[in-house]
């Protein structure tokens, strides 16, 4: 049993590096001719030319379309949340940071779901700090070798788990010191706490706290739930005296990149939204039919999108929307899309073009998006208001990626333009 639990945990730790099936198209010359739905043309044919029309008419229309056809509708009802500090260390990471562990208890329909946030706040600070918010895959204990970090509540139901879990401590580390030394706080949580990532996860997820869902084919599932959870983390962060509520950065990798984009589209408190290799159902244009496709993603992961999305399996050209429209909903806030050359499954060119075709929404605000349909070369980041980079290597979030994100956020927030008081 111990061996089984250990193998299960290793699978969870490395869940972000799936094998890529050979039947997918990786040949650019086989990308079909496609026409993207026009970003600025409303369903009634009106063409948007102003911020006012965009915000009043087109933006809500696109939000509805994406909810009904792809991610599911986020219920309006609220669940109760309470917060308990269950761990605290003012001298974590060799004194660099204050670490807190905050247990969120969500209550609804007579049930409870618990989720554990792991928080690092830079000790050298004068005033409020910008905050990275992002889920981890393998559990809080796996992203750091800090022995005080507790196991995420998701793991509580595994039998005989403790020793097996202990062996995965620190196995999938985040560069916490690098981020904290740059003056940013970090708040992370295991995404499985919010919705266990499997086809039978719904009853244990936060979905079970809401009244019976009547949205039919447009009902939300895991991606909608993860997006909702990011907003609940933001609720807590915004109440903290050390946090700058105007400088919230939402970061997500892969399936969490998809969830981050959907969260950023709905919740305008996220001032920067970072999609790291989010691929199909994230930043990549579906109509390119390159790498992972709608049919494959909706059959491998039937619990991610709303059921309506699967009707476009093998019918991407019939989609009434595409992913550039999701990215455009982040405007006028900061958007960063990043790819890896070795991650063709996520379609780097499709991710770049998604951001490029979102740029007209930024232009309405007089902001510079991506100005050329040609992708930049490897390791040549573009840091306009919409940012993009592609690096060598495989599907992952590397130090190279984090350094670019930190540079971009410094720039977005005007950090480093004058000497930083706390350094
Ligand atoms: C699989 C899946 C992708 C997803 C990735 C991940 O590869 O097909 O859509 O982005 O897992 O989340 O790691």
């Amino acid at each position: 049993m111990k061996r089984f639990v250990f193998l299960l945990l290793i699978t969870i730790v490395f869940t972000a590096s799936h094998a890529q099936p050979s039947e997918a198209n990786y040949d650019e010359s086989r990308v079909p001719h496609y026409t993207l739905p026009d970003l600025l043309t409303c369903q009634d044919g009106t063409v948007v030319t102003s911020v006012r029309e965009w915000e009043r008419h087109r933006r809500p229309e696109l939000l509805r379309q994406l909810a009904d056809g792809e991610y599911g509708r986020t219920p309006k009802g609220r669940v109760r949340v309470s917060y308990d500090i269950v761990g605290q260390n003012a001298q974590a990471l060799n004194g660099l940071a204050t670490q807190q562990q905050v247990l969120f208890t969500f209550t609804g329909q007579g049930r409870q779901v618990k989720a554990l946030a792991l928080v690092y706040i830079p000790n050298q600070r004068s005033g409020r700090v910008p905050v990275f918010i992002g889920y981890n895959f393998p559990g809080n204990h796996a992203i750091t070798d800090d022995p005080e970090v507790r196991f995420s509540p998701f793991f509580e139901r595994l039998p005989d788990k403790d020793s097996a879990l202990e062996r995965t401590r620190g196995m999938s580390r985040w560069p916490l010191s690098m981020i904290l030394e740059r003056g940013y706080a970090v708040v992370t949580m295991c995404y499985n706490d919010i919705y266990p990532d499997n086809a039978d996860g719904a009853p244990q997820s936060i979905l079970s706290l809401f009244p019976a869902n009547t949205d039919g084919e447009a009902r939300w599932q895991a991606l909608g739930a993860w997006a909702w959870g990011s907003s609940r983390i933001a609720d807590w962060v915004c109440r903290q005296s050390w946090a700058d509520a105007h400088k919230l950065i939402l970061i997500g990798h892969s399936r969490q990149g998809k969830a981050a984009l959907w969260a950023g589209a709905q919740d305008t408190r996220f001032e920067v939204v970072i999609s790291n290799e989010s691929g199909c159902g994230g930043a990549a244009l579906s109509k390119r039919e390159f790498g992972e496709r709608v049919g494959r993603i909706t059959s491998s992961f039937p619990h991610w999108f709303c059921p309506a999305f699967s009707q476009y399996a093998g019918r991407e050209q019939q989609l009434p929307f595409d992913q550039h429209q999701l990215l455009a909903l982040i405007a006028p806030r900061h958007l960063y899309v990043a790819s890896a050359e070795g991650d063709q499954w996520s379609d780097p060119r499709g991710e770049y073009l998604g951001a490029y075709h979102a740029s007209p929404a930024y232009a309405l605000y007089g902001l510079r998006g991506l100005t050329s349909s040609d992708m930049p070369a490897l390791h040549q980041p573009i840091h306009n208001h919409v940012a993009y980079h592609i690096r060598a290597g495989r599907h992952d979030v590397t130090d190279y990626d984090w350094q670019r994100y930190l540079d971009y956020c410094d720039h977005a927030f005007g950090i480093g333009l004058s000497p930083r008081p706390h350094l």
Side-chain angles (χ1 to χ4, degrees), residues 14-21 137 191 197 253-258 276-282 292 296-297 300-301 304-305 343 345-346 395:
F14 294 107
T15 191
S17 41
H18 273 254
Q20 306 173 7
F137 288 87
Y191 78 134
D197 190 6
H253 170 56
S254 209
R255 67 198 70 182
Q256 285 314 322
K258 309 179 209 298
N276 194 85
E277 299 153 30
S278 58
C280 181
E292 186 173 28
R296 171 76 192 206
I297 201 167
S300 307
F301 307 101
W304 283 3
F305 299 89
D343 180 22
W345 183 235
S346 297
H395 187 62

Side-chain angles (χ1 to χ4, degrees), residues 35-37 65-66 69-70 280-281 284-289 293-294 308-325:
T35 308
L36 292 179
Q65 240 184 328
L66 288 161
E70 188 166 7
C280 181
L285 294 175
S286 304
K287 289 182 191 286
R288 279 174 45 80
E289 302 183 7
R293 294 184 52 188
V294 174
F309 194 42
S310 58
Q311 69 184 285
Y312 301 106
R315 297 177 60 243
E316 282 88 345
Q317 305 315 319
Q318 264 68 61
L319 272 166
F321 50 79
D322 210 329
Q323 300 307 110
H324 62 306
Q325 296 175 316

Side-chain angles (χ1 to χ4, degrees), residues 48-124:
V48 165
T49 54
S50 69
V51 165
R52 191 185 151 86
E53 287 162 352
W54 169 258
E55 291 184 354
R56 286 265 179 105
H57 196 97
R58 184 63 171 152
R59 191 177 188 284
E61 178 175 282
L62 287 173
L63 265 175
R64 266 197 309 277
Q65 240 184 328
L66 288 161
D68 288 355
E70 188 166 7
Y71 301 102
R73 294 183 194 149
T74 309
K76 297 265 184 293
R78 295 185 75 89
V79 299
R80 275 188 293 123
V81 195
S82 63
Y83 313 102
D84 293 293
I85 307 230
V86 295
Q88 178 123 0
N89 176 2
Q91 295 300 321
L93 305 173
N94 297 320
L96 187 60
T98 296
Q99 178 245 70
Q100 281 187 349
Q101 298 183 68
V102 185
L103 187 65
F104 287 43
T105 304
F106 299 105
T107 308
Q109 305 297 309
R111 289 196 70 251
Q112 289 192 332
V113 169
K114 291 188 187 289
L116 185 63
L118 173 62
V119 183
Y120 287 95
I121 308 150
N123 279 340
Q124 278 203 329

Side-chain angles (χ1 to χ4, degrees), residues 238-293:
C238 287
R239 296 156 87 177
Q240 306 310 306
S241 58
W242 48 264
D244 188 336
H246 301 291
K247 295 184 181 148
L248 301 188
I249 308 144
L250 182 60
I251 179 166
H253 170 56
S254 209
R255 67 198 70 182
Q256 285 314 322
K258 309 179 209 298
L261 291 168
W262 180 230
Q266 296 175 90
D267 188 338
T268 57
R269 291 173 301 174
F270 295 114
E271 180 50 45
V272 180
V273 180
I274 302 174
S275 142
N276 194 85
E277 299 153 30
S278 58
C280 181
L285 294 175
S286 304
K287 289 182 191 286
R288 279 174 45 80
E289 302 183 7
F290 189 101
E292 186 173 28
R293 294 184 52 188

